């Protein structure tokens, strides 16, 4: 039996991770009493006693936890922004390649991708790797998310709000969103995308779209080439390519709410293409991805304990 400690288990990500591992007899969770959950000494002891430590914390606290873990044998899986582009930390999106999955499985320091970034990286990274998109590509990205992605405060704001929160709200208008560095780095791009995130009045779910002009693709590539890359790469139970993914011409951002899967699809015309990724911001966009990484470290099936259907 392996021992797990969720540092920050009271937040939305921590609670979802706990729900995924609660019924697993192969795991035992270390839980600190409320009065000690922010106590550095108690956290250090819990980290030292654990095989797997999930960091579901603000960035500063996640960095502190990494320092507390020095000298321990624990594998850290960080769901914060703190280490996603840091040296010595593996970026936790195993579907990008077999080699990355192997590196995650053998790593002691894993950074879980951000929710918006997960969709963008899933769509763009394989195309850069294949040479269809050059590293110099200047891209845009539109992302629609449920309000649970904003944490407890945003959840409370939406659940008590009236008409002022009824319509979707665009944010990160200054183009300084915290996911931009990993979106650039994980895809091997020279420039971060123009990023337009929008929060809607629904609890969870996410739809990330990257628009492309066919004329901007390298080597005369088109939508068929992109579909081929996706269908060959994303053929698993967690991330999968799907043809004709729309619902009578619509795409719902809530289609995979409550699940830990991600659907990849391609839409558009002979001139303009829409690349889309649909998933749950708390699933493959956070907690589900963290548990998947843990499964790889433990030598289990990637989807063990996850909600896939």
């Amino acid at each position: 039996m392996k021992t797990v400690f969720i540092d920050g288990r009271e937040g939305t990500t921590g609670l979802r991770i706990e729900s995924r591992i609660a019924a697993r007899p192969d795991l035992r969770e270390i839980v600190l009493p409320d009065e000690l959950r922010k106590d550095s000494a108690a956290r250090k002891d819990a980290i030292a006693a654990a095989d797997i430590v999930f960091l579901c914390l603000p960035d500063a606290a996640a960095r502190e936890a990494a320092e507390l873990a020095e000298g321990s044998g624990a594998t850290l899986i960080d769901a914060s922004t703190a280490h996603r582009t840091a040296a010595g930390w593996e970026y936790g999106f195993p579907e990008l390649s077999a080699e990355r999955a192997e590196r995650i499985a053998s790593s002691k320091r894993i950074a879980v991708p951000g929710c918006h970034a997960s969709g963008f990286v899933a769509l763009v990274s394989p195309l850069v790797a294949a040479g269809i998109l050059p590293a110099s590509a200047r891209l845009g990205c539109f992302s629609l998310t449920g309000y649970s992605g904003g944490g407890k405060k945003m959840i409370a704001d939406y659940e008590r709000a009236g008409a002022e929160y009824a319509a979707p709200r665009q944010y990160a208008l200054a183009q300084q969103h915290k996911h931009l560095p990993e979106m650039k780095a994980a895809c091997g791009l020279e420039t971060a995308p123009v990023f337009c995130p929008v929060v809607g009045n629904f609890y969870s779910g996410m739809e990330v779209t990257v628009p492309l002009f066919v004329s901007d693709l390298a080597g005369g590539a088109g939508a068929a080439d992109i579909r081929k890359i996706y269908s060959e790469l994303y053929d698993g139970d967690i991330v999968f390519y799907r043809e004709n993914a729309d619902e009578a011409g619509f795409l719902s951002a809530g289609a995979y709410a409550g699940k830990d899967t991600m659907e990849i699809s391609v839409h558009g015309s002979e001139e303009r293409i829409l690349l889309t990724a649909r998933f749950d911001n708390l699933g493959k966009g956070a907690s589900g991805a963290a548990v998947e990484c843990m499964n790889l470290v433990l030598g289990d099936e990637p989807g063990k304990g996850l909600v896939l259907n």
Side-chain angles (χ1 to χ4, degrees):
M1 178 179 292
K2 297 296 184 180
T3 304
V4 173
F5 173 52
I6 306 173
D7 198 359
R9 66 190 285 271
E10 299 77 14
T12 52
T13 300
L15 290 171
R16 179 71 72 90
I17 289 174
E18 188 172 52
S19 75
R20 296 299 189 252
I21 68 175
R24 290 181 54 167
D26 57 321
L27 302 175
R28 180 179 68 86
E29 184 184 356
I30 298 172
V31 179
L32 295 178
D34 287 344
E35 65 271 17
L36 293 178
R37 63 186 181 87
K38 294 185 179 181
D39 182 89
S40 295
R43 291 167 60 213
K44 183 173 183 176
D45 289 343
I47 291 170
D51 298 297
I52 303 289
V53 177
F54 294 102
L55 306 182
C56 305
L57 302 162
D59 289 358
R63 294 187 184 97
E64 179 193 21
E67 293 176 359
L68 295 174
E70 289 297 328
S72 77
T75 295
L76 303 189
I77 302 177
D78 185 7
S80 81
T81 315
H83 298 105
R84 290 174 185 159
T85 59
W89 289 74
E90 188 61 44
Y91 194 68
F93 203 113
E95 288 82 7
L96 293 179
S97 69
E99 293 76 16
R100 184 176 296 275
E102 291 173 1
R103 293 200 303 269
I104 292 169
S106 61
S107 179
K108 287 288 189 180
R109 298 291 183 269
I110 302 165
V112 179
C115 55
H116 297 287
S118 294
F120 181 81
V121 170
L123 296 170
V124 174
S125 180
L127 305 188
V128 175
I132 286 180
L133 281 177
S136 59
R138 293 177 177 267
L139 303 174
C141 178
F142 174 87
S143 185
L144 179 59
T145 182
Y147 58 76
S148 60
K152 284 187 172 181
K153 183 182 184 303
M154 183 173 283
I155 292 171
D157 287 345
Y158 268 87
E159 291 183 347
R160 67 168 175 257
E164 70 273 21
Y165 280 18
R169 299 188 301 156
Q170 186 172 342
Y171 64 104
L173 302 178
Q175 291 298 301
Q176 298 296 321
H177 195 282
K178 64 182 181 179
H179 291 178
L180 286 171
E182 64 179 290
M183 293 164 81
K184 174 185 173 184
C187 295
L189 293 171
E190 296 172 4
T191 305
V194 176
F195 182 38
C196 305
V198 177
V199 59
N201 194 2
F202 57 101
Y203 183 76
S204 69
M206 179 165 274
E207 180 181 329
V208 176
T209 300
V210 176
L212 297 174
F213 283 101
V214 173
S215 58
D216 290 338
L217 302 179
D225 301 284
I226 296 174
R227 290 187 177 99
K228 184 174 187 294
I229 290 171
Y230 288 163
S231 63
E232 291 178 353
L233 180 62
Y234 299 133
D235 61 349
D237 294 329
I238 298 176
V239 182
F240 51 87
Y241 173 74
R242 184 181 173 198
E243 291 273 5
N244 303 315
D246 65 289
E247 300 98 19
F250 292 86
L251 283 175
S252 170
Y256 293 92
K259 297 181 173 61
D260 297 307
T261 50
M262 176 185 284
E263 172 203 273
I264 302 295
S265 59
V266 180
H267 308 269
S269 67
E270 294 182 1
E271 297 178 351
R272 297 180 298 280
I273 299 172
L274 295 175
L275 313 176
T276 63
R278 295 196 293 175
F279 52 105
D280 188 330
N281 54 288
L282 293 178
K284 182 57 174 170
S287 307
V291 173
E292 179 187 358
C293 289
M294 176 191 71
N295 287 336
L296 292 176
V297 171
L298 297 180
D300 293 329
E301 286 297 315
K304 184 174 181 178
L306 298 180
V307 177
L308 304 180
N309 298 304

